[in-house]
Amino acid sequence: MPSSATILIPPSTVFWDDAARALLQSDEHGRNQGAAISDLSALRVLVSTFAHIQLLKNALARQIGGAFIPPTITSLSEYIRQLPPSGTAATAASERLMSLYADLRQHAWLKKLFSARRNTDLLPLAEILLALSDELTQAMLPSLKTSPDAGYARWQAALEQLSPVARNLLSDETQLVWTIWKSQLDASDANVMRYAQMMRLVQQVEHMQQPLFWISPVAPDAMEQAFLDAYGARQALTVLTLDWHAHSINSTYAAAWPEMLVDETGSAALPIATPSGLKLHAAQNMEAEARAGAQTVIDWLQQGKTNIAIVAQDRVVARRIRALLERAQIMVADETGWKLSTTRAASAIAAWLELVAARAETAGLLDFLKSPFVFADMADKAEQVMVSEIALQRAKVLSGWEAVSDALTAAPAAQKMMTLLAQQASGFTGRKTLCEWIAATQQMLLVFGMRDALQADAAGAQLIQLLQDVAQDCVQVGHTFSFAEWRAFLNLQLEAKAFVQVNQDKRVVMLPLNGARLRSFDAVLMVGADAEHLPSQPMETLFFANVVRRELGLATRESRQRQQLRDVTELLSANDCVVLSWQAHKNGEPNPVSPWIERLELCLARAGLAPLAKHEVQIAPRHLQPTPVLMPAPAAPQLLPQKLSASGYNSLVACPYQFFATRMLGLSGIDDVSDMPEKRDYGDWLHQILAQFHQTLQEAPVPLAERAPLLQQISDRIFAHELDKSAAALGYYARWQKAMPAYLEWIGERESQGWHFVLGEEKFEKLLRWDGGEIVLHGRVDRMDENAEGERAVLDYKSTNQGALRDKLRQGEDHQLPFYGLLSGTALSAALYVPLEATRDKIKEVEAPDYEVWQHNLEEQIVRNMQAITHGAPLPATGPEPVCQYCDVRGLCRKGAW
């Protein structure tokens, strides 16, 4: 009868040395003692992870002290992969998921039961059901192989743990789980195949001599235990695992956390002492914790430590630490990686799917085009994207491929780019099989030049491989899916896939808590040692309460927390230098430390011992040379603009630096496209309405009684177009309806005074010369009237009231009216602002005083200022706060920093 033994080893820094000694002292190795070279090749050792292989080899080398032939050391998964193919391939996870989802969506009662508003809401349910099925298979498959009826009996016994009321409430759910699980138990199920392969391994060693050493920090699951039992019945088996009896654990930790022990009562009256290698650091906020963590790692490296671990309980803080370390040229080897969905490569795919779903919503369109992977081989891409953005903003296009194309009529290259996008988007409609959706996605990547760009990126190459793998795995899935279902499925795949960046520098590694099992480091930093992250938040599983899970042999909340507490204890026992950090405050509220740390500190306090040491971080101060920041005052005579508008000159008067940046450098801000109309849009609409209205009256006189219907008709036509774009224009429509009667009354009074409309919305230009220079004045005049004596007056519409316009003229800072006078080829006798908001149901124009003098003075000012710029006069940022408040270039002049 083959021998079987279990060797318990305390968690410590010398675990692998103890394991190596146990292996060398075993009866199987004893037969080879006395040879010149220790030959361990007849032994097979199974370890949990790849990292453990080298640790065991190193420990064997230390114990033997000379040359030796190592045993065959692999993980169980690698051992299984060495088997010859069986001819039957396991059903891929993606195929299982979408096949089950296709079945679930057929049942309306399921949508009602789980409050699913859309079919895609059932996709996460399918994931949960499959995960639960896999758990049940791993826990119950060995017993099912022994007794097919044992599974149902165990299932019923577990449900009996619920109250009758709970069983009735959950009857549909439990029946669903049972049905789904039984449907997965076929020969192509990955877990069923894995168990069969494990039994094939046992059969292979039936007639050979190959002792097995099983080294694991955790207890084997049901399938692994069945494999060990079967192997041990045929070959010598030695199980090496951690010893969780009180006498083998650091007595302080055993006293503080007795629930992790095999014998909880054994922790009573244990001698305790303050752990010397454990320190705590309570940071004030996330940035403080990250900065302290990064500085701690830097300090350890400077002390000569070359094997440092960052245990990432709080992934947000851990990623910030990584960024800070990389800024200091210290690379971090992240063993866990991060979700593929968070990479730039995946965000480009997500942006495309969002663009298709939103039907060319402008913000999403620009976001997609600005991805470095899109049209990566286009030489003038940046220019075309900028042209597109400006054109779409000016046309206020919110969405729609046709509207986007129409807005780019004047930019053929950009329009061609948008046409290409629209053509590909048309392929993402209707229902398709998964393979057809992948083909459409791959075609899109080729057409947009994204495939090569993605292939050159590490995460992008993994994304392309993911698409190829799914296409290969789902050939047998004949169901068709909508675009929304394809998008939801692809998002799940990107969320589930981890991207691990290859890094040759292994001095600093980032890993989860369970990744530190059976490993020792020079120093360990755990971030996120607060109550929110330690213990980790329990994963609530659909349907089953803990009592049912316990009866079925599944992991419970208690068992998970117990194992995590053991992981913490092992981490503290196996490493001589450990710092636990957390944020003492979050969102202005106190953030408590982990209850496990609180209990440890309480245990020390009750024993009258010193508390855990505090980890102090000293960030080296940086001595910066102060440089006074002065108001910018550039001089650029060579950039004098060739043209000058009224708004341009107003900019010069308001702030010379603003004029320099916007008119001389040609810089301008690009407003976000919004479906909410603004006041300036309202002004543009009124200009269109009044221009059409007065031109109609000019072409064919209309009696006073018929003018109101005409104005109403034109107004309705203009506003109808805008209301189709946004219902928010209705407020401005109602506002204009109130002002229309007053405007018509004002027109009658104006005409009774002998004035009539001559022109409107007409462009003017005039060359202004001076000694040594010239500039073209240009602008669009809202309206010009003429009286019987041939005198002309310029009128400027304003969508405000009479009082505001009086104040504007009184301040004298707006030179629009006299500027129009300079543009006019004929003398103007008057200039007026026309308010398009009634005051006490009346509209009354506001006339500019001393208009001719104002024109003359303005001409002199323009010449004088242009000459000064030509001669190199500085253009300081002297704008007052009201001007700066809405200035597009305030970030350029940096007012407030000087």
Side-chain angles (χ1 to χ4, degrees), residues 500-667:
V500 179
Q501 194 167 17
V502 178
N503 192 343
Q504 300 301 323
D505 188 352
K506 302 294 184 180
R507 293 178 301 163
V508 182
V509 298
M510 184 177 292
L511 68 173
L513 179 58
N514 57 14
R517 291 172 181 167
L518 303 187
R519 296 169 69 178
S520 297
F521 302 91
D522 293 342
V524 176
L525 169 67
M526 177 190 286
V527 293
D530 55 9
E532 181 182 353
H533 298 94
L534 191 69
S536 300
Q537 296 297 314
M539 297 182 298
E540 296 298 337
T541 308
L542 192 64
F543 312 122
F544 289 162
N546 274 328
V547 62
V548 178
R549 295 181 63 85
R550 187 181 301 109
E551 190 69 23
L552 290 172
L554 308 182
T556 63
R557 182 184 306 176
E558 292 79 8
S559 67
R560 289 193 183 103
Q561 287 198 0
R562 186 187 195 193
Q563 182 56 55
Q564 192 172 48
L565 182 55
R566 287 182 171 182
D567 291 341
V568 171
T569 304
E570 183 195 345
L571 181 76
L572 301 180
S573 302
N575 296 278
D576 296 329
C577 179
V578 179
V579 173
L580 306 180
S581 78
W582 71 96
Q583 301 169 51
H585 294 86
K586 275 189 176 181
N587 302 319
E589 297 290 336
N591 184 42
V593 69
S594 165
W596 292 342
I597 298 177
E598 285 187 324
R599 287 169 54 192
L600 178 58
E601 291 187 302
L602 178 62
C603 181
L604 296 174
R606 283 178 172 174
L609 298 173
L612 295 172
K614 305 301 180 186
H615 177 64
E616 301 296 337
V617 181
Q618 297 295 329
I619 298 178
R622 297 179 62 188
H623 300 286
L624 303 178
Q625 183 65 35
T627 301
V629 182
L630 304 176
M631 175 195 297
Q638 70 278 14
L639 296 179
L640 182 73
Q642 296 178 348
K643 286 189 171 186
L644 183 66
S645 65
S647 60
Y649 186 71
N650 281 338
S651 174
L652 177 62
V653 173
C655 177
Y657 185 86
Q658 184 188 80
F659 178 82
F660 163 75
T662 58
R663 265 62 184 189
M664 298 174 71
L665 294 181
L667 304 177

Side-chain angles (χ1 to χ4, degrees), residues 278-306:
L278 175 60
K279 294 184 179 181
L280 306 180
H281 179 75
Q284 288 302 307
N285 50 54
M286 189 199 82
E287 184 64 19
E289 184 180 10
R291 287 171 61 85
Q295 185 62 51
T296 298
V297 172
I298 292 172
D299 292 342
W300 284 339
L301 289 171
Q302 291 176 342
Q303 294 167 13
K305 292 178 170 60
T306 58

Side-chain angles (χ1 to χ4, degrees), residues 31-51:
R31 302 188 185 98
N32 298 320
Q33 289 181 353
I37 297 178
S38 295
D39 186 2
L40 307 178
S41 59
L43 308 181
R44 177 173 291 277
V45 182
L46 295 183
V47 295
S48 299
T49 67
F50 178 79

Side-chain angles (χ1 to χ4, degrees), residues 382-544:
E383 179 182 351
Q384 296 306 324
V385 172
M386 178 60 71
V387 167
S388 302
E389 185 168 3
I390 293 173
L392 295 174
Q393 191 276 332
R394 287 177 177 171
K396 293 195 175 296
V397 175
L398 298 176
S399 63
W401 293 112
E402 185 176 349
V404 168
S405 181
D406 292 344
L408 295 171
T409 304
Q415 189 180 47
K416 181 180 179 180
M417 183 172 64
M418 298 302 175
T419 301
L420 201 60
L421 294 174
Q423 289 172 350
Q424 289 302 307
S426 64
F428 284 75
T429 56
R431 302 184 66 83
K432 296 179 174 64
T433 64
L434 289 178
C435 290
E436 290 170 342
W437 279 118
I438 292 174
T441 303
Q442 292 176 330
Q443 175 66 17
M444 177 270 295
L445 296 179
L446 284 173
V447 172
F448 296 162
M450 295 177 65
R451 185 177 180 84
D452 290 342
L454 288 170
Q455 198 69 56
D457 178 79
Q462 188 172 335
L463 189 151
I464 291 176
Q465 187 61 50
L466 171 66
L467 292 174
Q468 294 172 348
D469 292 343
V470 172
Q472 184 176 353
D473 293 341
C474 296
V475 172
Q476 301 301 321
V477 181
H479 304 282
T480 59
F481 303 95
S482 67
F483 168 74
E485 291 171 322
W486 160 245
R487 183 186 182 191
F489 167 71
L490 184 56
N491 286 338
L492 284 178
Q493 298 300 303
L494 294 175
E495 283 284 313
K497 197 74 172 178
F499 169 65
V500 179
Q501 194 167 17
V502 178
N503 192 343
Q504 300 301 323
D505 188 352
K506 302 294 184 180
R507 293 178 301 163
V508 182
V509 298
M510 184 177 292
L511 68 173
L513 179 58
N514 57 14
R517 291 172 181 167
L518 303 187
R519 296 169 69 178
S520 297
F521 302 91
D522 293 342
V524 176
L525 169 67
M526 177 190 286
V527 293
D530 55 9
E532 181 182 353
H533 298 94
L534 191 69
S536 300
Q537 296 297 314
M539 297 182 298
E540 296 298 337
T541 308
L542 192 64
F543 312 122
F544 289 162

